Amino acid sequence: MKNIVISGYYGFNNLGDEAVLAGISSLLKKKREDLKITVLSAEPEQTAVRYDLNAVSRTSLIQILAALAEADLFISGGGSLLQDVTGSFSVPYYLGLAWLARLQGTKTVYYAQGAGPLDKKWSQFLTAFSLNRFELLGVRDQGSQNLLKEIGVKKEIELTVDPVFALYDPLNNLKQQIKGEIEVGISVRPWSVDYISELAAALNQFAEGKKIKFIIFPMHQGSDEESSLQLKNKLKAEAEIFDLPPVPEEALKVFSQLDLFVGVRLHSLIFALLNQIPLLALSYDPKIEGLMSELDYLPLIKLEDLKADQAAAELENIFAERYSLRKKIKGFLKLKKADAEDFAELVLEEVDTCES
């Protein structure tokens, strides 16, 4: 039996990161049932039960070293772990774990991550120095690949997709039912740009003359609720804040009956896409533009450029074309799921070459 340890931002009630773990673990377990997977989590007991995996505390050095001592492969997995805009701790923490693995002779994989922003010289140097010693590097978008090359990563970097696309299941993709109202899903988050009032004005303008219900989804519990409430209080049509189930596969099903989606958080957009929901992406980070780069038939507006009239017009356009857009999104999803499966195969090849 081969042992894999996965590190990431897990156990923090961020549904996007939980979906990343669900995508990675489901791919690997589907392809290799005999794998033993251990996750470093802020809530190890919860993680172990939710994903039927082993889990240990991400802050217990003793538990981490014990898990790595048995590991054949260490995965630094998913999300945007290597960035220095939210603090100076992320880069040394996540790369430090990889170095602990390497010191014990364990192979290391950078699994389909988004890289950056990396604005500090020391974080750029540490990232390049460390990643050049990984066995396999994979990024989820072209911008991340370009950034890593610019800061000095010489090793080959595979361009793949976010692991959440592995959760796409066309057999469970429910057909929309005829409803008496238009349901528009929304995900917002706190950010340095004050955009809530402009977004509310756009949604109110779009809702004029229509029977609409707005459903606001806080994707990160403990972080998104205040912004969600601010938006709800500014909407004139019926609106509710809906707490999504903590299990990613169950949360995905909630999105299935939406007609349109407006999202700021990356994985809220991916959840909508996985249900073939036409959407308006609001970008606060290059990772949003990375996702949308292959979806030029769907609109994207940067938060700092958000204007009510333009956003309302974009919503009118995608609503009018929603049926044809759903077909285009379906083709996109098939390609992305195949890409996710291909990268998982590369990871398993690394496992197979490990000494027993």
Side-chain angles (χ1 to χ4, degrees):
M1 176 180 288
K2 298 293 187 179
N3 296 310
I4 295 177
V5 171
I6 303 178
S7 162
Y9 192 72
Y10 307 130
F12 289 97
N13 296 316
N14 186 320
L15 193 52
D17 290 287
E18 296 301 308
V20 166
L21 178 57
I24 294 174
S25 60
S26 64
L27 271 174
L28 297 179
K29 289 195 294 183
K30 182 176 72 173
K31 293 177 178 293
R32 199 69 54 83
E33 294 180 358
D34 63 340
L35 289 177
K36 178 185 176 183
I37 299 176
T38 300
V39 179
L40 309 185
S41 171
E43 295 287 346
E45 292 182 4
Q46 179 190 83
T47 297
V49 172
R50 184 174 294 169
Y51 303 103
D52 190 24
L53 302 167
N54 301 294
V56 300
S57 171
R58 75 197 300 271
T59 58
S60 171
L61 182 59
I62 293 175
Q63 293 182 29
I64 292 170
L65 288 173
L68 290 174
E70 298 181 356
D72 298 291
L73 187 73
F74 173 83
I75 289 176
S76 182
S80 297
L81 304 180
L82 301 184
Q83 51 81 26
D84 56 18
V85 293
T86 61
S88 299
F89 182 65
S90 292
V91 172
Y93 172 78
Y94 289 111
L95 291 179
L97 291 173
W99 278 105
L100 286 178
R102 295 197 64 80
L103 289 172
Q104 300 195 63
T106 304
K107 286 187 170 185
T108 50
V109 169
Y110 187 71
Y111 199 116
Q113 289 193 41
L118 291 167
D119 296 330
K120 300 177 176 65
K121 290 296 183 183
W122 68 263
S123 58
Q124 294 176 12
F125 171 80
L126 184 58
T127 296
F129 181 78
S130 301
L131 293 189
N132 278 325
R133 286 151 181 82
F134 275 52
E135 273 70 30
L136 176 64
L137 304 178
V139 294
R140 67 188 177 191
D141 59 79
Q142 186 68 60
S144 295
Q145 187 182 58
N146 293 343
L147 173 61
L148 292 182
K149 289 180 179 179
E150 288 169 7
I151 66 171
V153 176
K154 304 300 183 184
K155 191 175 181 65
E156 182 180 358
I157 305 169
E158 298 285 341
L159 183 59
T160 180
V161 297
D162 194 295
V164 179
F165 283 107
L167 302 180
Y168 174 58
D169 185 354
L171 296 179
N172 291 329
N173 202 295
L174 303 178
K175 293 183 178 179
Q176 284 192 311
Q177 301 173 352
I178 302 299
K179 306 186 294 291
E181 62 186 0
I182 303 164
E183 293 188 2
V184 180
I186 309 165
S187 167
V188 292
R189 62 158 297 161
W191 197 243
S192 55
V193 176
D194 182 12
Y195 67 94
I196 296 295
S197 295
E198 205 70 30
L199 175 58
L203 294 170
N204 288 332
Q205 188 173 324
F206 174 69
E208 290 179 3
K210 304 181 185 73
K211 184 172 176 56
I212 277 188
K213 180 178 181 180
F214 293 117
I215 307 173
I216 307 170
F217 301 113
M219 293 289 288
H220 189 175
Q221 293 179 22
S223 174
D224 295 351
E225 287 83 359
E226 183 177 346
S227 299
S228 297
L229 183 59
Q230 288 176 1
L231 178 63
K232 179 180 182 293
N233 289 339
K234 294 177 182 292
L235 295 175
K236 297 177 182 178
E238 180 184 0
E240 71 167 303
I241 297 173
F242 188 94
D243 291 327
L244 290 163
V247 178
E249 291 88 345
E250 294 177 7
L252 272 173
K253 295 177 182 178
V254 176
F255 280 62
S256 64
Q257 291 301 318
L258 298 174
D259 296 284
L260 296 179
F261 190 77
V262 181
V264 178
R265 284 202 178 272
L266 174 70
H267 287 101
S268 75
L269 297 169
I270 295 178
F271 274 33
L273 291 171
L274 288 170
N275 284 284
Q276 297 171 220
I277 308 301
L279 57 83
L280 166 61
L282 302 178
S283 176
Y284 72 98
D285 186 280
K287 64 186 178 184
I288 308 295
E289 290 142 53
L291 169 68
M292 300 301 293
S293 62
E294 296 179 63
L295 295 160
D296 57 2
Y297 44 86
L298 295 174
L300 176 145
I301 302 174
K302 292 186 177 182
L303 283 186
E304 60 266 29
D305 298 330
L306 180 62
K307 300 298 180 186
D309 288 348
Q310 180 194 2
E314 297 286 15
L315 286 170
E316 292 287 359
N317 290 337
I318 61 173
F319 181 65
E321 301 293 330
R322 61 192 182 280
Y323 298 113
S324 62
L325 289 174
R326 286 174 67 90
K327 292 180 180 179
K328 290 181 179 180
I329 294 170
K330 183 176 182 180
F332 169 81
L333 290 172
K334 288 180 178 178
L335 294 174
K336 295 301 132 182
K337 182 166 186 177
D339 288 343
E341 292 178 343
D342 288 344
F343 188 74
E345 289 287 357
L346 294 178
V347 173
L348 291 172
E349 287 177 11
E350 295 296 334
V351 175
D352 291 338
T353 59
C354 294
E355 295 182 4
S356 299

